[in-house]
Amino acid sequence: MAVEVKELLEAGVHFGHLTRKWDPNMAPYVYMERNGIHIINLYKTAAKIDEAGAALAKIAASGRKILFVATKKQAKDVVAEKAGGINMPYITERWPGGMLTNFVTIRKAVKKMASIDRMKKDGTFMTLSKKERLQVDRLRAKLEKNLGSISDMTRLPGALFVVDIKREHIAIKEAQKLNIPIFAMVDTNSDPRQVDYVIPANDDASKSIDKILTYVSSAIAGGLAERKAEKEATAAAKADAAKPKAEAKKAVAANEEE
């Protein structure tokens, strides 16, 4: 999916923060100042989207998950829709401390959720008292809200995609500790040095977030399609290789019968 600068402009991706709130390390991505607001250079944004997209496609093609993180109101629904559409995990509620650095504990909580579901299926749930059922239901709802979208993530993600690195600083720190690559939309008030793949963009407007995530999710979908095609080609090659053996066995069996 080609990145169109005109589309980025229409989505308001170029609007940065007030000049007095800027981080000087974002200077290379700032085009100009207008009415006390920094304007982001969209040609650089487009180039960075291409760069990030290619790297994310490779990670997806390798079979690893990309964890999306966005807990701000403007980004929640967009991230849930885009990440969910390509079957990638996402966090849109409060970041669970130790989500990455204490992943074993998080997995235990996810397993607890699965065990409650099993209880409901096998009828064990109905043997509990009314009060106990209410408590279990509340626990399940809480776990679902915070961890439901990562229930299929059985190991640490191959990368993090973050909207607003200032807000998600805990997630950034955990990923840095574990050397997990960080991709992010970075506004003019943030330090791009914290991120491996910077996409300079307005991270406050839902239209801007939607536009960037449309490109990103499309790139990941391409990586997933490549992985699927490779798997199918491997399976077909194995089937073709097995055919002569099967035919030889049939011929041997036929000769023995004669």
Side-chain angles (χ1 to χ4, degrees):
M1 191 180 186
V3 180
E4 297 286 344
V5 171
K6 188 185 174 189
E7 286 186 7
L8 296 177
L9 185 69
E10 286 169 355
V13 174
H14 58 299
F15 291 118
H17 275 264
L18 292 168
T19 51
R20 60 186 167 81
K21 287 186 176 181
W22 86 311
D23 188 303
N25 292 299
M26 280 298 285
Y29 306 111
V30 173
Y31 174 63
M32 65 181 288
E33 176 203 327
R34 187 186 292 159
N35 301 327
I37 291 171
H38 275 128
I39 303 298
I40 295 164
N41 186 329
L42 291 181
Y43 287 96
K44 291 197 174 181
T45 300
K48 288 294 185 181
I49 291 171
D50 281 336
E51 186 187 320
L56 285 165
K58 273 188 184 177
I59 292 167
S62 74
R64 287 173 295 164
K65 293 284 187 185
I66 295 142
L67 177 63
F68 285 76
V69 186
T71 60
K72 69 198 300 179
K73 191 181 176 183
Q74 307 94 302
K76 280 184 181 188
D77 292 342
V78 178
V79 167
E81 181 198 334
K82 302 293 182 186
I86 49 173
N87 200 28
M88 287 294 167
Y90 56 89
I91 295 288
T92 53
E93 296 302 323
R94 186 183 63 85
W95 174 263
M99 166 78 212
L100 301 175
T101 51
N102 197 7
F103 189 64
V104 176
T105 304
I106 297 294
R107 280 302 301 161
K108 279 180 186 171
V110 171
K111 282 177 183 174
K112 178 70 179 171
M113 200 161 65
S115 73
I116 293 170
D117 291 342
R118 278 196 302 274
M119 280 171 65
K120 290 190 173 186
K121 276 184 183 175
D122 64 22
T124 314
F125 181 72
M126 294 313 293
T127 64
L128 302 174
S129 69
K130 191 177 178 182
K131 187 182 177 183
E132 286 171 330
R133 287 203 302 271
L134 191 64
Q135 286 172 339
V136 169
D137 273 335
R138 279 180 184 158
L139 174 62
R140 175 70 178 77
K142 187 181 177 185
L143 290 169
E144 175 65 41
K145 187 180 179 184
N146 294 323
L147 306 171
S149 61
I150 61 156
S151 55
D152 295 332
M153 200 171 79
T154 54
R155 58 177 175 153
L156 284 168
L160 233 65
F161 189 95
V162 180
V163 177
D164 193 340
I165 61 172
K166 272 203 161 197
R167 186 184 177 97
E168 315 301 346
H169 63 278
I170 301 170
I172 297 286
K173 280 194 175 73
E174 288 192 30
Q176 286 170 340
K177 270 186 187 175
L178 299 167
N179 293 319
I180 294 171
I182 303 164
F183 295 74
M185 286 178 67
V186 184
D187 214 327
T188 57
N189 67 333
S190 304
D191 184 355
R193 294 174 301 174
Q194 297 178 45
V195 174
D196 300 290
Y197 292 86
V198 176
I199 298 176
N202 172 1
D203 65 11
D204 289 312
S206 53
K207 272 182 79 175
S208 171
I209 296 163
D210 187 284
K211 182 54 66 182
I212 299 294
L213 282 172
T214 297
Y215 286 124
V216 166
S217 57
S218 175
I220 294 170
L224 293 171
E226 187 186 318
R227 178 173 169 79
K228 188 183 176 185
E230 277 179 15
K231 275 187 171 181
E232 286 171 356
T234 304
K238 280 182 181 176
D240 288 343
K243 271 181 189 175
K245 288 181 183 177
E247 283 167 6
K249 277 184 183 178
K250 275 183 186 176
V252 169
N255 287 335
E256 284 175 356
E257 282 176 11
E258 286 173 7

